[in-house]
Amino acid sequence: MDNIKALTFRNDELKLTDLKKPEPNNNEVLIEVSLAGICNTDLEIMSGMLGFTGIPGHEFVGKVVDDPRNKLSGKRVVGEVNIPCYNCERCRRRHFRHCLNIKALGMRGRDGAFAEYLTLPRENIHLVPETVSDREAVFVEPIAAAVEIAEQYHLKPSEEIAILGDGKLGLIIARTLKALGYSVLVIGRHESKLARLKSLKIPGYLERNLPKNIQDIPVVVEVTGSSSGLERALQLVRPEGKVIFKTTIARKIEVNLSILAIDEIQLLGSRCGPFPPALNLLKDNNFYLEELITDCYPLEKGPEALEKARDKVNLKVLLQP
Ligand SMILES: [Zn+2]
Ligand SMILES: [Zn+2]
């Protein structure tokens, strides 16, 4: 029998396991994973958020090795994370991303990408343009999430956007919004991370010596991944401005929300986004993504890779099955 190697999360522990090779049903394809990215959501999942057990990982690029309908075999692909049921009340209203029975790759009810192989429904799959490398394509999921911020909340190109947080997602959102034509700046806590904005000519400021004129900002994207970020975002945004909240953490956040009423601020949440525009952006722009890759580990060293990803001084850690 064909066995595969995978990192499985169970009983608060991530372990290398031998599993049966997954088999695609008629609507799915089998993908050999070339690279997978570790994101903060994975780290939070492994701190107990969502109560997930199984194979984590939702950022990947790979090659289709089995397509029962044969169309995609041999193609280099990325895959969208959400798997709706197409049958519930919300799906019938075409609200697929909020399906009542939603499954999500490596997050909810579905084994993910920290494995040699995975299966996904055919409609989740997108071809990677030839000029986009694997080490770029593995970022498509967070880039898509950044595209969605602009799309779903109709941000105006004339409004300045401050990104609060210089972690990997913050630096990706900055790149994406800049490529979309917005004027962006990043506020962070690590000089070494803000330095990765220079190639793109995006201004980065250290929180501890923020110039006085950085205030009353029309749009603040909160992506600190910490429990204190929301309060800070609410101080930075101008009255009637928008705070877009991207932090997903397992623990609770305490914050006084009266300023929402007083300053008539819109507090908006955002999760994930469409892959086709993200792939287009990658094809047509240099995102300098190499600057965001801290390290790449074989699957066998999964726990070590996770430790590295958890360390706040590091950026994207990749796994290579
Ligand atoms: Zn992610
Ligand atoms: Zn549904």
Side-chain angles (χ1 to χ4, degrees), residues 12-27:
D12 290 332
E13 210 187 347
L14 187 74
K15 265 195 189 153
L16 189 71
T17 47
D18 260 324
L19 296 172
K20 214 172 130 262
K21 192 172 186 172
E23 271 177 44
N25 67 29
N26 246 339
N27 302 313

Side-chain angles (χ1 to χ4, degrees), residues 252-264:
K252 287 186 182 160
I253 293 174
E254 203 171 305
V255 57
N256 186 338
L257 288 176
S258 359
I259 193 162
L260 288 189
I262 297 161
D263 279 350
E264 304 185 306

